[in-house]
Amino acid sequence: MFSLIAAVGKNHELGQKGQLVFHLQNDINFFRQTTNGHKVVMGRKTWESLPSKLKNRENIVISRQNFSGPDQIIHNVDDFIKKNQATNEEIFIIGGEAIYSIFLPYAKNLYLTEIDASAPADTFFPNFDKTKYQKTLITKGSENELNYSIAKYTKD
Ligand SMILES: NC(=O)c1ccc[n+]([C@@H]2O[C@H](COP(=O)([O-])OP(=O)(O)OC[C@H]3O[C@@H](n4cnc5c(N)ncnc54)[C@H](OP(=O)(O)O)[C@@H]3O)[C@@H](O)[C@H]2O)c1
């Protein structure tokens, strides 16, 4: 089973020049807690944006290239989806735009930190039909004068 997890602005902003648009400690804590102990799947560009491998998680990177560092590199995304979609194991798709777009149709859950602000961005979370998901509010708050809520969207 695939779950997407992302922090997005009002216009679904994700990243700018290879980095995150918004930096909220509460979002980072939520991400760490939620993905802890799980497989995390990311695109090569998101991998390169990380200061280091994400601890206590199997780091799986999607790329057409080979390089060292990740626990696993996936070249064939279709095969990976076929093999893992029907499992009970929750596999977290952690970005960026290219990888969210590929996995969105197959994802059961979307964990979104929705930040009530906009900012310049060059990568965006894909649009999705909210009427097809059940929304559960996990928490909401404010940090650095930014209001945010964290919600889980689930599809049958
Ligand atoms: N706000 C958030 O929650 C969040 C989360 C994650 C990332 N981000 C941001 O998103 C931005 C990066 O997103 P992005 O869309 O530019 O890059 P990305 O999705 O992280 O990575 C794109 C790379 O993935 C590989 N790839 C994509 N489709 C593939 C396929 N079908 N088969 C094999 N490999 C494939 C390619 O790697 P190769 O070129 O090596 O072949 C491609 O260049 C950054 O700014 C990052 O900070 C934000």
Side-chain angles (χ1 to χ4, degrees), residues 18 41-51 61 94-97 99-100:
V41 177
M42 70 197 95
R44 192 260 308 161
K45 292 183 184 172
T46 295
W47 164 258
E48 286 185 352
S49 77
L50 300 176
V61 176
I94 66 163
E97 176 182 321
I99 297 315
Y100 290 136

Side-chain angles (χ1 to χ4, degrees):
M1 171 218 317
F2 300 122
S3 293
L4 273 51
I5 183 164
V8 303
K10 266 188 192 172
N11 303 308
H12 283 194
E13 298 94 327
L14 281 176
Q16 166 82 327
K17 297 190 174 135
Q19 291 302 320
L20 297 176
V21 172
F22 299 104
H23 299 268
L24 297 182
Q25 192 55 45
N26 289 335
D27 169 58
I28 292 167
N29 294 346
F30 176 76
F31 174 85
R32 196 176 291 143
Q33 202 177 46
T34 308
T35 60
N36 189 42
H38 292 279
K39 287 178 181 160
V40 290
V41 177
M42 70 197 95
R44 192 260 308 161
K45 292 183 184 172
T46 295
W47 164 258
E48 286 185 352
S49 77
L50 300 176
S52 60
K53 197 160 140 176
L54 297 174
K55 278 187 223 135
N56 201 32
R57 281 150 285 191
E58 188 175 333
N59 288 225
I60 301 172
V61 176
I62 299 178
S63 174
R64 297 184 180 85
Q65 312 173 57
N66 279 312
F67 45 92
S68 59
D71 296 303
Q72 206 188 133
I73 294 183
I74 303 291
H75 298 298
N76 188 328
V77 194
D78 293 342
D79 266 10
F80 181 79
I81 291 172
K82 272 186 207 132
K83 282 188 192 133
N84 293 283
Q85 196 190 352
T87 58
N88 287 327
E89 179 188 5
E90 187 168 22
I91 298 173
F92 285 91
I93 310 304
I94 66 163
E97 176 182 321
I99 297 315
Y100 290 136
S101 301
I102 294 172
F103 281 89
L104 180 65
Y106 308 99
K108 172 140 184 78
N109 306 302
L110 316 177
Y111 297 88
L112 293 185
T113 298
E114 298 176 307
I115 298 142
D116 190 19
S118 46
D122 56 22
T123 44
F124 296 84
F125 192 83
N127 284 323
F128 64 100
D129 182 354
K130 289 193 174 170
T131 63
K132 298 215 165 99
Y133 297 77
Q134 206 185 341
K135 181 179 177 182
T136 312
L137 180 67
I138 296 174
T139 185
K140 59 186 196 173
S142 176
E143 192 182 315
N144 302 335
E145 296 178 2
L146 291 173
N147 294 325
Y148 66 88
S149 56
I150 304 181
K152 181 178 179 181
Y153 294 85
T154 302
K155 194 170 70 172
D156 288 332

